[in-house]
Amino acid sequence: MAVAPPSYCFVAFPPRTKDGLVVFGKNSARPREEVQEVVYFAAAAHDPGSKVECTYIAIDQVPKTHAIMLSRPAWLWGAEMGANEHGVCIANEAITTREPASETEALLGMDLVRLGLERGATAKEALDVIVSLLEEHGQGGNYYEDGSSSHAFQSAFLIVDRAEAWVLETVGKYWAAEKITEGVKCICNQLSLTTKIDVEHPELRSYAETQGWWTGDTEFNFSEVFSLAEDHLGCCSGQESLEKQEGNITVQTMMDVLRDKGSGVCVDSETFLTTASIVSVLPQNPSSPCIHYFTGTPDPSRSIFKPFIFVDDVKLVPKVQSPFLGDDDPVKKKPRFQERPDRRHELYKAHERTRSVTENDQDKGQKLMRIMLDLERQGLEAMEDILTSTEVLDPAEVVDLFYDCVDTEIKFFK
């Protein structure tokens, strides 16, 4: 059975957070050599009867899709994590359960992240989108760009907006979800839902009974029923660090947690690496903009978070987008993944070059990181000014915000 990568994602609500902000964060742990790109798609209208090509299958398109910003493994259609123009954020976790994941190609959990963002204007709407698509199309297929073996997983999601979050955990087409409106919540690569379930698949419990996993005589505990052995005992490093920050959780707090290798939240092992990270700030005041910070590069302890705000006519950032291979892409051909093309984008290459230099010269590396973190801090302060301003945000001020940050970062690496 495939081993699920130990990713972590978090959400924190007021009053644990400062200034009435909902703070969301996710580290994407993936195979070490995999490249993640950061891509923006504008809101769009679609012709009746049209289809959308997901990673492995095509499904019916909807009349309108929202503007989205994604951090995704460069070979697939969906995303590990992202946000939309309405302040909805979604992160995906690959999980293993008693029910073996299907290797038959269907929707990936990462496709469902993107579909939820494109079609849901609230966290609950996004949840409804995901579970209806799960019912209709199922989930399955290879989670990795690997032609030698298949790595299939079930999916868990953290779905967040300005008002609430939903933890959605799935087993095939069956699912359960818990609503979160306060405190701190972490999910990782294990089932976490227990007896507090707010919505569920109508046949969830009867399915568990037919499989002999639940007798109906005891209280229904989702993790105990569907987890493998003792795999439901919790793995959420980092939650304790956030909970200690009573009333003081900020964007910086979340970034610090995501950078923490000692706790295991920042993964750097022989097999897996934190290949990209995101932190989002969702003000509960709807007149303030949501701000999303993406790294676009591996290992947040050696990367900087760059801000993005949804406005019309956002300037696209080709320097964090991988080469587009079209129909020649090995993911599009069957048998799939017979070749491994170079998917590195310009920012990734600059980051990689610098890393090789700094690993050989520790002093130089530390000096460069101090400069980069100072650059990040300046960005955080500028975003703080936007959040605390009483004036309406002028879109022209931020239309090229992310573009400029990426450009500046690359110049520093040179």
Side-chain angles (χ1 to χ4, degrees):
M1 184 176 288
V3 177
S7 295
Y8 294 86
C9 48
F10 305 89
V11 65
F13 284 90
R16 289 289 179 93
T17 56
K18 283 185 74 173
D19 305 324
L21 303 173
V22 178
V23 184
F24 164 85
K26 151 97 170 164
N27 270 352
S28 173
R30 299 280 301 172
R32 286 194 69 89
E33 303 306 315
E34 187 176 78
V35 176
Q36 279 204 34
E37 60 179 351
V38 181
V39 285
Y40 170 81
F41 295 94
H46 304 280
D47 294 334
S50 61
K51 298 279 187 180
V52 54
E53 288 277 350
C54 302
T55 302
Y56 297 130
I57 64 168
I59 66 170
D60 291 336
Q61 184 56 283
V62 290
K64 183 182 182 303
T65 49
H66 308 309
I68 56 173
M69 186 73 156
L70 307 175
S71 184
R72 68 179 186 182
W75 60 271
L76 54 75
W77 179 86
E80 272 279 283
M81 52 210 178
N84 74 16
E85 61 184 304
H86 300 291
V88 178
C89 300
I90 307 180
N92 169 68
E93 296 285 348
I95 52 174
T96 52
T97 69
R98 275 179 159 178
E99 174 90 7
S102 173
E103 295 183 8
T104 303
E105 292 182 350
L107 291 173
L108 289 175
M110 292 169 283
D111 292 336
L112 291 164
V113 169
R114 178 169 175 177
L115 290 162
L117 291 170
E118 286 186 336
R119 302 179 181 196
T122 66
K124 183 57 166 61
E125 276 186 23
L127 182 147
D128 291 341
V129 165
I130 290 171
V131 298
S132 65
L133 290 169
L134 203 55
E135 181 74 26
E136 186 176 356
H137 301 286
Q139 59 180 320
N142 203 343
Y143 254 64
Y144 300 153
E145 188 182 16
D146 184 353
S148 61
S149 59
S150 183
H151 309 264
F153 299 101
Q154 310 288 10
S155 306
F157 305 89
L158 183 60
I159 310 169
V160 182
D161 64 21
R162 296 175 187 261
E164 63 189 33
W166 288 87
V167 175
L168 169 63
E169 297 181 345
T170 69
V171 180
K173 71 172 186 176
Y174 301 98
W175 56 272
E178 178 187 0
K179 182 177 175 179
I180 312 286
T181 56
E182 59 184 19
V184 174
K185 184 68 179 179
C186 163
I187 71 167
C188 57
N189 62 325
Q190 296 176 9
L191 294 176
S192 66
L193 298 180
T194 56
T195 56
K196 184 183 181 297
I197 297 172
D198 293 301
V199 285
E200 64 186 71
H201 189 285
E203 297 163 14
L204 175 70
R205 298 182 192 218
S206 58
Y207 178 71
E209 284 192 82
T210 61
Q211 297 299 305
W213 297 335
W214 182 58
T215 62
D217 296 331
T218 56
E219 187 175 20
F220 186 81
N221 182 313
F222 185 83
S223 294
E224 287 184 2
V225 170
F226 289 105
S227 291
L228 285 163
E230 296 300 305
D231 200 29
H232 63 280
L233 299 180
C235 64
C236 258
S237 304
Q239 180 155 341
E240 199 175 306
S241 303
L242 286 172
E243 287 176 338
K244 285 177 183 173
Q245 301 284 330
E246 184 69 49
N248 287 307
I249 297 171
T250 62
V251 186
Q252 186 66 64
T253 315
M254 188 65 78
M255 290 176 181
D256 291 344
V257 166
L258 296 183
R259 285 179 165 134
D260 185 4
K261 288 191 174 177
S263 68
V265 170
C266 183
V267 175
D268 188 354
S269 69
E270 285 184 24
T271 316
F272 297 114
L273 179 68
T274 298
T275 53
S277 306
I278 181 177
V279 172
S280 293
V281 180
L282 315 174
Q284 292 194 311
N285 176 0
S287 64
S288 294
C290 297
I291 303 175
H292 312 281
Y293 300 84
F294 295 86
T295 60
T297 51
D299 190 348
S301 71
R302 295 193 303 236
S303 298
I304 65 168
F305 289 85
K306 297 162 283 292
F308 172 86
I309 297 175
F310 283 93
V311 290
D312 290 339
D313 303 316
V314 162
K315 189 171 184 179
L316 300 180
V317 190
K319 291 175 182 178
V320 286
Q321 293 177 16
S322 297
F324 178 69
L325 304 177
D327 290 338
D328 291 331
D329 197 315
V331 70
K332 299 286 188 189
K333 300 174 181 177
K334 291 186 178 181
R336 301 194 197 274
F337 311 127
Q338 297 305 294
E339 301 169 57
R340 286 291 296 270
D342 184 356
R343 300 190 186 275
R344 295 174 301 164
H345 46 73
E346 192 173 335
L347 178 63
Y348 187 99
K349 288 178 180 177
H351 190 264
E352 194 174 43
R353 283 194 304 270
T354 305
R355 189 170 74 236
S356 65
V357 171
T358 56
E359 281 174 353
N360 295 324
D361 186 339
Q362 209 167 16
D363 289 342
K364 188 175 182 180
Q366 288 174 349
K367 183 180 178 183
L368 180 65
M369 201 60 215
R370 282 196 296 271
I371 294 169
M372 301 307 293
L373 289 174
D374 188 55
L375 188 68
E376 180 184 271
R377 183 182 53 76
Q378 291 173 37
L380 288 172
E381 289 172 356
M383 295 305 100
E384 178 77 15
D385 290 343
I386 287 173
L387 288 174
T388 54
S389 174
T390 54
E391 296 177 14
V392 177
L393 177 67
D394 178 2
E397 290 183 11
V398 297
V399 74
D400 50 7
L401 173 65
F402 190 68
Y403 181 98
D404 288 345
C405 290
V406 170
D407 210 42
T408 302
E409 184 177 4
I410 289 173
K411 284 173 182 171
F412 267 105
F413 284 146
K414 288 177 179 174

